[in-house]
Amino acid sequence: MTPMTPMILPAAQMRLMSQFARMAIEANMVIGLRMAGMMGLMTQAPGEPFRMVAEKQAALSESMMAMASAGMRGHSTERLLAAGLRPYGRRTRANSRRLTTVKKSR
């Protein structure tokens, strides 16, 4: 007897793995940049430590809502997991862009 778990196709697994890998690389870069800012090695916005905590709470609630919505629509497991990763990916991408831009002094 086979287990009643949904099967994720290899192409879907690769998409999910690449989405997760990109997010993990960007998250490591953001962590490094924020630590450098906290140590005073680079300039940092005054509210950056608060933003760091607040955005995680927002991403978690958005991720849970996206997964619940995809689950209620009857989407596949891969689409459910991708929906859960998407809010984190958007935030890590935005943070890495924002923290790596060169600020012009006036």
Side-chain angles (χ1 to χ4, degrees), residues 4-39:
M4 297 296 291
T5 57
M7 185 176 131
I8 299 179
L9 299 173
Q13 287 177 350
M14 291 303 293
R15 277 193 305 272
L16 197 58
M17 285 176 20
S18 66
Q19 181 183 4
F20 182 78
R22 184 183 68 235
M23 184 192 67
I25 291 167
E26 289 169 342
N28 281 324
M29 186 167 50
V30 169
I31 290 168
L33 290 167
R34 283 184 168 159
M35 287 182 69
M38 287 180 202
M39 291 188 291

Side-chain angles (χ1 to χ4, degrees), residues 59-94:
L60 176 64
S61 64
E62 190 178 331
S63 176
M64 290 177 68
M65 288 299 291
M67 287 181 74
S69 177
M72 284 188 233
R73 287 190 197 119
H75 288 300
S76 66
T77 305
E78 183 268 333
R79 288 186 70 182
L80 190 105
L81 294 173
L85 282 176
R86 205 168 292 120
Y88 289 105
R90 276 197 307 266
R91 282 176 173 77
T92 55
R93 195 172 312 113

